[in-house]
Amino acid sequence: AQSVTQPDIHITVSEGASLELRCNYSYGATPYLFWYVQSPGQGLQLLLKYFSGDTLVQGIKGFEAEFKRSQSSFNLRKPSVHWSDAAEYFCAVGHYGGSQGNLIFGKGTKLSVKP
Amino acid sequence: GAVVSQHPSRVICKSGTSVKIECRSLDFQATTMFWYRQFPKQSLMLMATSNEGSKATYEQGVEKDKFLINHASLTLSTLTVTSAHPEDSSFYICSAKTATYEQYFGPGTRLTVT
């Protein structure tokens, strides 16, 4: 079955420290992948996306993610976290030709930032 | 990125009444929109896929007669929660898919049924 796993439910990092949020997927077809961020009571904002080509993709707010097909992973990274990055982060996977393009979401990782 | 709006952002209604939530893609046309429900501290649960000019496709376990979806144009989809009950209280989020498979989300609607 298709699935997306975000193994870390909650991560706390100090402001200025580096960050890596993990995402693993299980998909039978060629996937495309997204990372979204959600602040409390808000909708989801698209951080970055991967469809094809360069496996290291840059997004907004200084985030980047690397697609590793051999590891079925699409981990999100940021070299220096800011207090405003505290939020919930969701990894999502879709595939071409899939059911009208709907996405499968991970359960999310809550990021807390210590001053 | 593309912008998707939702209206209202918050609504409180009495049990037994119906509530309509609108989802609009403001700067692009979306042949497909999605409706999600999100419970506190949980991920998004896909309720249904809304296609312009055709019937919505509902996920297993979602009552189509309770959650009526209409996708009347390439920029508007509506979700009507009929005969709402307290257990329908939730955060409802829509998204719109572009021609290049990107999905942009609305800001969500907090529904409280008293």
Side-chain angles (χ1 to χ4, degrees), chain B:
Chain B
V3 180
V4 175
S5 70
Q6 254 182 268
H7 179 79
S9 58
R10 290 179 178 271
V11 58
I12 301 173
C13 70
K14 292 187 176 180
S15 187
T17 62
S18 295
V19 173
K20 180 185 284 188
I21 303 170
E22 291 187 350
C23 178
R24 293 181 185 273
S25 56
L26 297 185
D27 50 3
F28 67 101
Q29 293 184 331
T31 55
T32 304
M33 291 184 173
F34 302 92
W35 286 96
Y36 296 86
R37 185 172 177 176
Q38 187 177 32
F39 293 98
K41 300 185 179 182
Q42 294 192 28
S43 188
L44 283 74
M45 182 191 79
L46 179 65
M47 298 174 65
T49 302
S50 168
N51 292 297
E52 188 266 337
S54 64
K55 290 184 179 180
T57 303
Y58 290 83
E59 295 299 301
Q60 192 172 9
V62 177
E63 298 176 59
K64 61 180 181 181
D65 294 330
K66 180 167 190 59
F67 298 100
L68 300 179
I69 291 172
N70 184 283
H71 196 150
S73 75
L74 288 172
T75 59
L76 173 63
S77 176
T78 60
L79 168 69
T80 301
V81 183
T82 63
S83 186
H85 290 282
E87 57 266 29
D88 298 324
S89 298
S90 193
F91 193 57
Y92 293 87
I93 308 178
C94 71
S95 71
K97 183 172 74 74
T98 70
T100 52
Y101 290 87
E102 296 160 332
Q103 273 193 44
Y104 293 92
F105 285 78
T109 297
R110 173 71 59 191
L111 170 64
T112 302
V113 184
T114 61

Side-chain angles (χ1 to χ4, degrees), chain A residues 3-19:
Chain A
S3 65
V4 178
T5 302
Q6 292 180 247
D8 304 305
I9 296 173
H10 189 184
I11 284 181
T12 301
V13 300
S14 297
E15 190 168 17
S18 63
L19 171 71

Side-chain angles (χ1 to χ4, degrees), chain A residues 9-51:
Chain A
I9 296 173
H10 189 184
I11 284 181
T12 301
V13 300
S14 297
E15 190 168 17
S18 63
L19 171 71
E20 182 169 35
L21 302 183
R22 295 181 291 167
C23 173
N24 293 94
Y25 65 89
S26 173
Y27 240 75
T30 301
Y32 50 87
L33 304 109
F34 303 96
W35 274 99
Y36 289 92
V37 61
Q38 184 182 34
S39 296
Q42 303 293 316
L44 276 67
Q45 182 182 22
L46 180 63
L47 281 177
L48 47 75
K49 60 201 176 204
Y50 172 79
F51 286 92

Side-chain angles (χ1 to χ4, degrees), chain A:
Chain A
Q2 302 158 348
S3 65
V4 178
T5 302
Q6 292 180 247
D8 304 305
I9 296 173
H10 189 184
I11 284 181
T12 301
V13 300
S14 297
E15 190 168 17
S18 63
L19 171 71
E20 182 169 35
L21 302 183
R22 295 181 291 167
C23 173
N24 293 94
Y25 65 89
S26 173
Y27 240 75
T30 301
Y32 50 87
L33 304 109
F34 303 96
W35 274 99
Y36 289 92
V37 61
Q38 184 182 34
S39 296
Q42 303 293 316
L44 276 67
Q45 182 182 22
L46 180 63
L47 281 177
L48 47 75
K49 60 201 176 204
Y50 172 79
F51 286 92
S52 65
D54 193 345
T55 55
L56 183 63
V57 293
Q58 304 296 321
I60 62 172
K61 303 184 179 185
F63 285 93
E64 67 177 27
E66 186 170 12
F67 173 61
K68 293 185 177 180
R69 186 185 299 276
S70 62
Q71 298 177 21
S72 298
S73 70
F74 188 56
N75 294 347
L76 182 71
R77 300 193 293 251
K78 186 169 184 176
S80 177
V81 170
H82 189 262
W83 64 266
S84 60
D85 294 324
E88 188 89 22
Y89 291 80
F90 292 96
C91 178
V93 178
H95 71 94
Y96 299 102
S99 178
Q100 305 183 73
N102 64 292
L103 300 177
I104 306 294
F105 282 85
K107 292 186 181 298
T109 297
K110 181 178 180 180
L111 173 65
S112 297
V113 181
K114 291 189 300 185

